[in-house]
Amino acid sequence: MAKKPRIAIIGAGIAGIYAARTLYQNGFDNVIIFEASDRIGGRIWSMKHGDDWIELGAQWIHGQEENILYEYACSRGLIANPKHDYGVEGNGHLCNENGEAIECPLAKKLINYLDETKNRMNDAIENDQNVFDYFVYQFNQFVQSLTDIIDITTLKILKNTFRWFIIYEVIDNSCENLQTLSALSYTEWEDCSGETDLIHFQKNYSTIFDEFEKDFPLNDCLLLETEVKKIELIHNNSDIQVKLHIFRDEIEDEEMLFDHIIITSSIGFLKENLKNDFFSFDFPEEKRQIIQAIGFGTINKVFLEFDIPFWNDQVKGFQIVWTNVRDEHSFPDINFACGTENFPEWVYCIQGFDLVRHQPKMLMAWIGSYGAKQMEKYSDQEIGQILTKVLRQIVPKQCLKKSIDYPTNIFCSRWYSNPFFRGSYSNRTTVYQKINNDDDHDGYNIDILVKPIYANDEHKKPLILFAGEATDPKHYSTTHGAMKSGEREAFRLICFHQKR
C-alpha cells in the first residue's frame, strides 16, 4: 500500500463509527466521519433522566447467537443478565376506550395464533399476498377452527383485537401499513437465536460508543454539526476522487477531496435526497429504484412521567383495543366510523402504554403508521394533555390506585421531522418484492444497493460504498445489522488496498 487512502464516512451512527474503528485497527487512519447533528449515535439515542436513562431510539439488542453487537457488548461487560432482565413487548391489560378490560380468552388466543403464523409467511409469497391480506386469511382460519359457534359480540371483540395486532406489526416493521408490506420482511429477516430475544444494556444503549472510543481515537476523526450537502466525482489525471461539499461553522460550501466515501445515512435520508443534487453525478438508475422501493416508516415513543404512579403494582402495561375505529388497519368488514370526535387521528395508531425499565413513575406509548408523523406536529405539552385524556378513558378502574393527573415530564421522539433520518428503520415492501422477482435482477435486491460505485479503471476502485441497517440482507432494521454493515464496507476497502 503506497500511501494511505483518504476515506470519508457520512454518519456517526453505529455503522459509521464501527466502520471507522475497523479501518483504524487495520492501519487506515486517514479517516473523517461527518455527522450533521450535534451528537453521535444516529438512531441510538440514550437520554439521561434522573438517576437513570430512557431510550428515545433503539430499545434492545435482538438475539444472541451470531450477533456482532451482542458479542462485542458482552465481551465488554455491558449486557444486563438476560435470564432476569429482558425486554417484553405488548405486555399488560388489553383494554378499550370505555375503560373495560378485555377478558375474552379468545382474544389472547387469537393474538398468539396470528403471531405463530408469522413462521409460515412463505405461504403469502407463494400466494402473492401482502402481509395484511395474509393475516386476514389467518384470522378467518382461526375463527373457522373454533369448535363452538361464537356470538356477534365475541366476533366484534376478535376483529377489534385483530386491529391491535396489526398496529403491533406495523410498529414492529416500521411501516405505514401492512397492505404495502411484503412477506419478505419476515422470510428474509433472520433471528439471532439464544435464550432471550430482547436484551437490555446494563446502563444504556449508548455505552457501546464509550467502548468504541477506547478502541480508537474517535474524537480525532469526528466532525460534528458538519453536513454533507453534495457529492461529486472528480477526474484527476488517471485517478477519480470524490469531492464532498460540506456546511459547517457557517461556511456554506467547503470542499474536501477523498479517495473513498462510505455512506451510512438512513434510507429515509437517501430517498429525500434523490430529489435534489445531493448525488451530483449520474447516479445509477438501478440503485435509485431500490432506494425508492425499500420501505422506511416512522415509529415514535412518548414517555410520560408522573409525580406518583396512578397504576397499581400488578399492572404490566395497557394495550388499547379500540372499538370505534375504521381505518386501513381495521378488519375489512368493520363498519365503525373513525373515532376522531374524541381524539386526533394519530392517537388511534398507539399500540399501548408500557412500563419503562428503571423509571418506576413512567409509561411509554408506542406509536406508528400515519399517527407517528401526525404526532410530530404537536408540542410536548399538547401530546401530554391528549394522552392524559386517553389514559383516563382507557385504564380499567381495578388498575388504579389514584386519579390520573397530568404528567410532570413528557419526552417525545420525532424521527420523521429530523431531516437527517426521515423515519426510523427499513422494511421490505411489495414493490421491493416485485423487483426481486424480476428476471432482470440476479440475487437479492439489496445487493444492488450494497454494490459500490466504482471508478472506471483497471483497478476497479470502489469510490462510493453503502452501509447502514437497510443494507444488511438478513438483519436489516437492527443495530447489529447496521454494525455488521459498517464492518463489511470497511473490509471491502481494506481488501482492495491489500490486493493492489
Side-chain angles (χ1 to χ4, degrees):
M1 189 167 63
K3 70 166 188 170
K4 292 182 179 180
R6 196 170 191 219
I7 303 168
I9 298 173
I10 300 177
I14 193 168
I17 291 178
Y18 200 70
R21 173 193 179 274
T22 304
L23 288 165
Y24 185 89
Q25 293 195 328
N26 285 273
F28 293 76
D29 55 8
N30 193 359
V31 177
I32 298 178
I33 307 173
F34 295 93
E35 172 54 51
S37 72
D38 60 358
R39 63 174 183 86
I40 64 171
R43 285 164 276 171
I44 296 172
W45 187 7
S46 308
M47 189 180 81
K48 180 76 171 175
H49 180 65
D51 295 329
D52 221 283
W53 299 78
I54 60 174
E55 302 291 354
L56 288 164
Q59 187 78 13
W60 301 291
I61 298 177
H62 292 267
Q64 298 166 294
E65 295 179 11
E66 297 184 19
N67 183 321
I68 185 175
L69 175 57
Y70 176 80
E71 291 170 359
Y72 179 92
C74 204
S75 72
R76 301 299 178 99
L78 303 181
I79 300 297
N81 188 332
K83 293 183 179 179
H84 308 292
D85 186 358
Y86 53 86
V88 179
E89 295 182 283
N91 207 10
H93 293 276
L94 291 175
C95 48
N96 64 26
E97 71 274 18
N98 299 316
E100 299 167 338
I102 307 297
E103 304 292 354
C104 176
L106 284 177
K108 286 288 181 72
K109 286 185 179 180
L110 173 64
I111 291 170
N112 292 335
Y113 175 87
L114 292 175
D115 191 62
E116 189 274 332
T117 67
K118 292 189 291 188
N119 298 321
R120 304 195 298 271
M121 200 63 80
N122 274 317
D123 294 347
I125 295 175
E126 292 174 5
N127 296 319
D128 198 26
Q129 287 177 308
N130 61 54
V131 173
F132 183 82
D133 289 345
Y134 173 79
F135 283 132
V136 169
Y137 172 79
Q138 294 298 341
F139 175 93
N140 290 328
Q141 292 294 105
F142 173 81
V143 172
Q144 291 172 18
S145 71
L146 298 174
T147 55
D148 297 327
I149 298 174
I150 60 175
D151 56 47
I152 293 175
T153 300
T154 302
L155 185 59
K156 285 183 177 179
I157 290 172
L158 293 181
K159 288 179 178 179
N160 292 329
T161 303
F162 173 88
R163 185 185 180 279
W164 176 88
F165 178 82
I166 296 300
I167 290 291
Y168 177 93
E169 290 299 312
V170 164
I171 290 172
D172 204 39
N173 286 280
S174 186
C175 60
E176 282 290 314
N177 56 61
L178 297 191
Q179 285 88 342
T180 57
L181 187 70
S182 166
L184 291 175
S185 285
Y186 298 84
T187 59
E188 280 190 356
W189 198 88
E190 284 191 6
D191 286 313
C192 295
S193 56
E195 59 184 344
T196 305
D197 179 44
L198 305 177
I199 298 164
H200 290 301
F201 281 83
Q202 281 189 39
K203 294 181 179 179
N204 63 76
Y205 225 117
S206 295
T207 53
I208 195 71
F209 298 110
D210 298 333
E211 293 301 313
F212 290 161
E213 289 187 49
K214 296 176 184 177
D215 296 339
F216 80 111
L218 170 59
N219 290 324
D220 292 349
C221 62
L222 175 66
L223 294 178
L224 292 175
E225 298 182 273
T226 306
E227 181 182 355
V228 176
K229 303 287 280 188
K230 186 165 66 173
I231 301 171
E232 283 188 275
L233 300 183
I234 302 298
H235 294 260
N236 288 329
N237 298 322
S238 60
D239 192 19
I240 301 178
Q241 291 183 295
V242 184
K243 179 189 287 187
L244 299 186
H245 296 253
I246 65 172
F247 175 76
R248 62 169 173 163
D249 298 331
E250 300 182 357
I251 300 173
E252 181 62 42
D253 192 11
E254 185 178 351
E255 298 177 358
M256 301 178 74
L257 283 175
F258 294 91
D259 297 296
H260 316 276
I261 67 167
I262 302 175
I263 299 174
T264 71
S265 309
S266 76
I267 285 292
F269 174 87
L270 295 180
K271 284 176 183 284
E272 189 80 10
N273 284 277
L274 285 176
K275 303 171 187 176
N276 55 37
D277 65 345
F278 181 76
F279 294 105
S280 190
F281 56 91
D282 189 14
F283 192 75
E285 182 59 28
E286 61 178 3
K287 284 188 185 293
R288 185 183 298 272
Q289 288 182 7
I290 294 303
I291 290 170
Q292 291 171 336
I294 293 172
F296 195 78
T298 302
I299 59 174
N300 278 313
K301 300 176 183 179
V302 179
F303 295 87
L304 305 175
E305 185 178 45
F306 299 86
D307 187 39
I308 300 173
F310 62 79
W311 55 94
N312 62 41
D313 295 340
Q314 286 72 48
V315 167
K316 296 180 180 179
F318 305 102
Q319 306 303 318
I320 312 174
V321 179
W322 299 102
T323 67
N324 63 342
V325 178
R326 167 66 172 157
D327 64 4
E328 62 205 281
H329 311 303
S330 304
F331 195 82
D333 65 358
I334 290 288
N335 294 318
F336 300 117
C338 186
T340 53
E341 293 180 6
N342 293 331
F343 302 112
E345 275 189 317
W346 59 264
V347 169
Y348 300 97
C349 292
I350 294 175
Q351 169 195 312
F353 295 86
D354 293 349
L355 303 182
V356 181
R357 178 176 178 260
H358 295 167
Q359 297 286 356
K361 300 178 181 181
M362 193 174 282
L363 295 175
M364 180 187 70
W366 290 95
I367 179 168
S369 186
Y370 60 83
K373 295 179 182 178
Q374 290 180 10
M375 181 219 78
E376 296 185 15
K377 299 175 183 177
Y378 290 71
S379 68
D380 287 2
Q381 183 180 13
E382 290 171 325
I383 292 169
Q385 291 170 343
I386 292 167
L387 294 190
T388 301
K389 292 178 182 178
V390 171
L391 286 165
R392 287 172 179 167
Q393 195 163 315
I394 66 139
V395 175
K397 290 181 180 179
Q398 64 266 33
C399 298
L400 293 171
K401 67 178 183 182
K402 65 178 295 295
S403 61
I404 302 176
D405 298 324
Y406 184 78
T408 54
N409 287 300
I410 303 153
F411 307 101
C412 307
S413 65
R414 289 180 170 83
W415 292 108
Y416 182 73
S417 302
N418 189 314
F420 306 117
F421 298 108
R422 304 299 283 168
S424 300
Y425 51 84
S426 66
N427 59 69
R428 301 298 187 245
T429 67
T430 52
V431 176
Y432 178 94
Q433 180 182 334
K434 186 176 183 300
I435 298 174
N436 206 59
N437 293 334
D438 193 323
D439 292 338
D440 291 339
H441 294 297
D442 296 322
Y444 287 107
N445 283 332
I446 209 63
D447 295 337
I448 299 169
L449 176 58
V450 172
K451 180 182 177 181
I453 295 174
Y454 291 99
N456 295 320
D457 61 15
E458 59 180 310
H459 301 296
K460 207 170 184 182
K461 170 185 170 184
L463 294 170
I464 302 175
L465 302 88
F466 297 85
E469 54 85 10
T471 70
D472 191 278
K474 297 179 180 179
H475 302 123
Y476 49 88
S477 79
T478 68
T479 45
H480 62 271
M483 184 172 170
K484 188 177 174 184
S485 75
E487 180 186 60
R488 179 194 69 219
E489 297 310 309
F491 274 117
R492 192 192 301 273
L493 288 180
I494 293 164
C495 291
F496 169 76
H497 283 281
Q498 286 177 343
K499 291 176 181 178
R500 293 188 71 177

